[in-house]
Amino acid sequence: MYRHFQRRLAEPIRGFLRKQYQLEIENIVVEQPPRVEMGEYALPLSFELAKKLKKAPRKIAEEIVAGVGEIAGFEKLEVAGAGYINARVKRAELAAALCQPPGEAPALAERILVEHTSVNPNKAAHIGHLRNAILGDSFVRLLRASGRSVAVQNYIDNTGVQVADVVVGLLHLEKKSRAQVEELVEGPRFDYYCWDLYARVSQWYEEDKKNLERRSEVLHAIEAGGNETAEMAELVATDIVRLHLETMQRLSVEYDFLPQESEILRLKFWDAAFEQLKKKGVLTLESQGKNAGCWVMQRQTKTAEDAEDAENQKVIVRSNGTVTYVGKDIAYHLWKFGLQGREFPCRRFYKYPSGHQCWISTATERGEADAPHFGGVAAIYNVIDSRQAEPQNQVIEALRALGYQTQADRYTHFAYEMVALTPGCAAELGYNLSEEDRGKAFIEVSGRKGFGVKADDLMDALIAPARKEVDSRHADLPSAERGQIAGQIAIGALRYFMLKFTKGSVIAFDFKEALSFEGETGPYAQYAVVRATNIFRKAGVEPERALAAKVDFAKYMAGEAGNEIWELWLAAAKLSHVVEQCIATTEPAHAAKYAFTLAQLFNNFYHRHHILHEPDAERKQFLLATAAVVRRELVRTLELMGISCPTVM
């Protein structure tokens, strides 16, 4: 609603500038004054126009205020300071509009693809993967809330070195046959078994570098396909992917399509891309130096000497004929943008409890006839660790070199920093820490070394204390309901913790901070909703009825006395504004900050106004409407973050 009134304000001002000064200003910057008593919007426009019009900013502001006239929904415009224009809305009109059921954003035609999670299918997902999935899923929710059509993909690197390393461990350390691996897959927590095995294989390589030859052998067999080693790799990867989906389902994260790297090779996606890259001169075959026999792409360089330097070359096809990660990624992104001229055959793979169907690519069959079309999108967001910035940039460079400038411009690397543990959290999880480790700000995790936190273990460790607290407070509730509430609190705490930090911040995870009912946490925001829900339960009124009741908003929002509650209404009106801010900056942390601010304002309101004991019936109705609108917007905000609200806490 705040954005709606902002557009109402900007359009007549834009028309006045066109008529009075013959100026076309597409983007009129609108800010919020530092205090609500100064108005709801502030325009610094006059300062921007001062040089063009060769007039003092205040003079321009006065001309605009005098010339624009009345604007629907606004009391008046005022000149402030050296040239700001402050705009005051008709508070009662905005409040009445906000009481209406929120409508859906107009659907936008273009399709957007968000790729996130993309865990290597070689072991259990860990805490760092949770940050990726939570960021990606929340961003998808934000895009959809704004009317965008979004497809969610989870790329499965089932032919990479990580999967190869687990197969090496099964063949050479464990001496397992395919039949024995099938038994392991059928057993409990195969992804946990592979977690430990992967760490052992890494150590085995360190003991004797010659052991790395086994990795090369397995990689070749996997890429070639049609052999027992490749079948074992497919068996391992497919089962672990299914376990990953079950892990992410606990966070309410769902996917539409799982494109597998194996199909990029077997369906000749790479071959088609390779021909394009050679034809356009993007790749060249090196005949000498350390990259002899390799097909390489020149990185962006400044001088001719740089271009000849092997350090400025990116190997796309190794001398032994295997394709690098970047090469396969180039082929994949040509498909994403519909530049491959072909489609992935796919089959149904996983059905969520919600009924949503997740599909997976396949090369062994034609695919199902009713499978959706997943490629050919207009824009891409790849949620990938910031440490992968260089490979991401190389794919963008390749698109530009091939002449796909528009696609390169609409390719966004949604980068984020790593997740570590506080020393206290690491100790609580059972890791032995040295005195040096205990003094560190955070402890880095490493799957290769076997040091880290499995995603399911972390969620279980959060649910346990939440369940203990719920049991002590609500022993009268059925056990299943108490378990559900504990899960909502724990998952809400986890998702909020991962979202409240800007994506460029390193997170040091801490149990106590995440689960706290005080401060900027998920439980704090959830508790504000529970408080509001309790008001309506005790009053015997549904929140929707309170919003539909006739209220004289002008009476209670006028003047200085109404500013405090009006500030709460104004904050509640800003959700759509926050959604667009999150999308424009690829920063879901704005939604987390907004949820905390709204919860904080509501809690202050709750303590100042004893709604249920208000003797004035008309004022009580106004206070109930205030609680109802804030509750609704806070619930909607938390839903965008993938957080549900329990009935009690």
Side-chain angles (χ1 to χ4, degrees):
M1 193 53 61
Y2 185 81
R3 289 182 70 243
H4 175 70
F5 273 72
Q6 182 174 313
R7 287 193 292 268
R8 276 195 194 179
L9 172 64
E11 192 51 44
I13 291 177
R14 194 177 288 114
F16 174 80
L17 296 176
R18 188 183 304 118
K19 180 180 178 182
Q20 184 71 18
Y21 305 124
Q22 292 74 56
L23 290 175
E24 288 290 345
I25 308 294
E26 182 62 31
N27 182 32
I28 294 179
V29 176
V30 181
E31 302 171 353
Q32 186 177 338
R35 300 188 305 278
V36 291
E37 54 265 33
M38 297 172 68
E40 289 70 37
Y41 303 92
L43 290 82
L45 178 67
S46 304
F47 300 99
E48 178 188 340
L49 298 177
K51 284 187 179 179
K52 292 181 181 178
L53 300 178
K54 295 182 172 52
K55 292 182 180 180
R58 187 172 177 89
K59 176 65 175 172
I60 297 170
E62 289 169 349
E63 291 176 0
I64 293 172
V65 168
V68 167
E70 287 190 16
I71 301 176
F74 285 82
E75 291 282 358
K76 59 180 176 178
L77 304 183
E78 298 173 330
V79 179
Y84 271 94
I85 299 172
N86 287 346
R88 297 181 184 274
V89 302
K90 292 178 179 176
R91 294 181 175 184
E93 188 172 326
L94 188 148
L98 192 57
C99 284
Q100 299 303 309
E104 292 187 4
L108 301 176
E110 71 173 22
R111 292 172 65 233
I112 293 173
L113 189 156
V114 176
E115 178 196 328
H116 69 79
T117 309
S118 303
V119 185
N120 289 316
N122 69 319
K123 64 182 186 307
H126 61 61
I127 189 171
H129 300 135
L130 291 181
R131 187 178 196 188
N132 185 309
I134 290 167
L135 279 169
D137 179 65
S138 299
F139 195 65
V140 167
R141 292 166 186 262
L142 289 160
L143 287 169
R144 287 176 174 163
S146 70
R148 272 91 163 178
S149 172
V150 187
V152 186
Q153 296 191 10
N154 177 355
Y155 182 74
I156 309 302
D157 183 3
N158 61 340
T159 66
V161 294
Q162 287 82 6
V163 171
D165 286 346
V166 170
V167 174
V168 167
L170 291 167
L171 290 173
H172 298 286
L173 272 66
E174 298 286 283
K175 311 294 184 185
K176 299 288 186 185
S177 66
R178 176 178 169 172
Q180 289 173 316
V181 173
E182 286 177 350
E183 288 181 17
L184 286 172
V185 166
E186 293 298 322
R189 298 306 331 208
F190 180 59
D191 53 345
Y192 278 37
Y193 170 88
C194 291
W195 175 287
D196 296 330
L197 180 59
Y198 181 63
R200 285 173 54 209
V201 171
S202 299
Q203 186 178 356
W204 188 60
Y205 291 153
E206 288 295 321
E207 290 169 359
D208 187 346
K209 296 299 181 184
K210 286 185 179 179
N211 291 334
L212 285 166
E213 294 174 9
R214 305 286 83 78
R215 174 194 275 175
S216 297
E217 292 169 3
V218 168
L219 271 174
H220 270 294
I222 292 173
E223 288 196 7
N227 56 74
E228 190 166 328
T229 299
E231 290 171 1
M232 186 181 289
E234 184 177 355
L235 187 66
V236 168
T238 301
D239 188 66
I240 291 181
V241 167
R242 195 178 301 277
L243 291 167
H244 286 167
L245 296 192
E246 290 175 2
T247 296
M248 298 308 166
Q249 183 183 303
R250 298 179 70 184
L251 293 161
S252 300
V253 175
E254 298 182 353
Y255 310 94
D256 299 319
F257 181 46
L258 311 175
Q260 298 188 101
E261 189 170 276
S262 54
E263 275 69 81
I264 289 176
L265 297 170
R266 293 167 195 169
L267 296 172
K268 309 302 183 184
F269 278 40
W270 163 247
D271 291 2
F274 192 26
E275 289 306 311
Q276 279 199 62
L277 291 162
K278 288 189 292 186
K279 187 176 179 180
K280 294 286 182 73
V282 180
L283 295 186
T284 55
L285 180 62
E286 285 297 296
S287 59
Q288 56 187 1
K290 72 172 189 176
N291 291 334
C294 300
W295 286 91
V296 302
M297 183 177 77
Q298 298 293 341
R299 295 173 178 170
Q300 290 183 341
T301 56
K302 295 180 180 179
T303 67
E305 290 77 11
D306 286 340
E308 293 176 1
D309 186 353
E311 295 302 321
N312 282 305
Q313 296 174 342
K314 175 61 185 177
V315 174
I316 302 300
V317 182
R318 303 179 186 94
S319 58
N320 63 7
T322 58
V323 186
T324 62
Y325 167 82
V326 171
K328 287 176 278 193
D329 217 24
I330 292 169
Y332 175 41
H333 283 85
L334 288 172
W335 168 79
K336 281 185 179 181
F337 281 120
L339 303 171
Q340 274 274 12
R342 61 189 69 197
E343 182 55 272
F344 279 109
C346 53
R347 61 182 174 84
R348 288 172 172 83
F349 182 73
Y350 191 88
K351 193 75 170 278
Y352 291 100
S354 66
H356 182 69
Q357 181 66 57
C358 178
W359 298 74
I360 193 167
S361 64
T362 177
T364 56
E365 51 195 279
R366 291 186 177 182
E368 298 184 35
D370 60 344
H373 175 66
F374 293 106
V377 298
I380 290 169
Y381 291 91
N382 288 339
V383 185
I384 300 177
D385 188 327
S386 60
R387 289 170 288 190
Q388 296 299 313
E390 186 178 354
Q392 288 290 295
N393 288 335
Q394 286 158 1
V395 176
I396 295 172
E397 285 179 28
L399 289 172
R400 293 197 189 283
L402 287 167
Y404 301 125
Q405 299 295 336
T406 301
Q407 289 81 358
D409 290 341
R410 305 207 71 188
Y411 180 127
T412 302
H413 176 200
F414 189 120
Y416 65 94
E417 279 294 342
M418 69 174 182
V419 183
L421 306 174
T422 62
C425 182
E428 199 169 338
L429 287 164
Y431 289 103
N432 293 319
L433 303 179
S434 66
E435 284 303 315
E436 182 184 356
D437 286 338
R438 293 181 187 279
K440 292 179 179 178
F442 57 83
I443 308 294
E444 289 190 44
V445 298
S446 170
R448 195 172 289 277
K449 295 177 182 177
F451 180 80
V453 185
K454 300 179 187 75
D456 284 303
D457 286 352
L458 176 65
M459 286 186 270
D460 291 343
L462 284 165
I463 289 171
R467 177 63 190 257
K468 188 176 179 181
E469 189 68 25
V470 173
D471 285 347
S472 67
R473 294 186 182 199
H474 304 285
D476 57 315
L477 294 177
S479 177
E481 187 176 349
R482 280 180 275 138
Q484 181 184 8
I485 292 168
Q488 287 176 299
I489 294 169
I491 299 304
L494 176 59
R495 289 194 65 129
Y496 193 98
F497 194 92
M498 292 294 187
L499 290 170
K500 75 174 182 176
F501 298 96
T502 55
K503 61 185 190 291
S505 305
V506 173
I507 293 180
F509 190 82
D510 185 83
F511 286 113
K512 290 180 181 177
E513 183 182 346
L515 281 170
S516 174
F517 277 50
E518 298 298 325
E520 197 172 346
T521 67
Y524 178 82
Q526 288 173 315
Y527 191 54
V529 174
V530 170
R531 265 184 168 165
T533 302
N534 284 339
I535 290 171
F536 292 101
R537 179 177 55 80
K538 292 175 181 177
V541 178
E542 291 296 321
E544 292 74 19
R545 278 186 57 199
L547 288 171
K550 224 173 190 181
V551 176
D552 185 358
F553 291 112
K555 178 179 178 180
Y556 298 107
M557 291 179 170
E560 196 173 321
N563 285 339
E564 174 234 321
I565 293 182
W566 171 242
E567 186 177 1
L568 181 55
W569 278 82
L570 188 61
K574 289 184 177 178
L575 179 55
S576 61
H577 173 74
V578 172
V579 167
E580 286 304 327
Q581 184 184 22
C582 290
I583 293 169
T585 59
T586 59
E587 187 55 89
H590 295 303
K593 179 63 72 177
Y594 174 70
F596 172 65
T597 300
L598 200 54
Q600 196 174 41
L601 287 169
F602 175 77
N603 284 334
N604 291 339
F605 162 79
Y606 175 87
H607 289 300
R608 287 175 186 160
H609 304 278
H610 303 292
I611 300 173
L612 296 174
H613 299 104
E614 172 57 51
D616 184 326
E618 190 179 3
R619 179 172 172 77
K620 182 176 181 177
Q621 191 62 60
F622 167 66
L623 295 175
L624 284 169
T626 302
V629 79
V630 176
R631 177 188 176 278
R632 185 192 68 196
E633 297 307 295
L634 188 50
V635 167
R636 291 176 67 207
T637 305
L638 292 174
E639 285 175 350
L640 291 174
M641 298 167 66
I643 298 172
S644 62
C645 295
T647 51
V648 297
M649 288 181 76

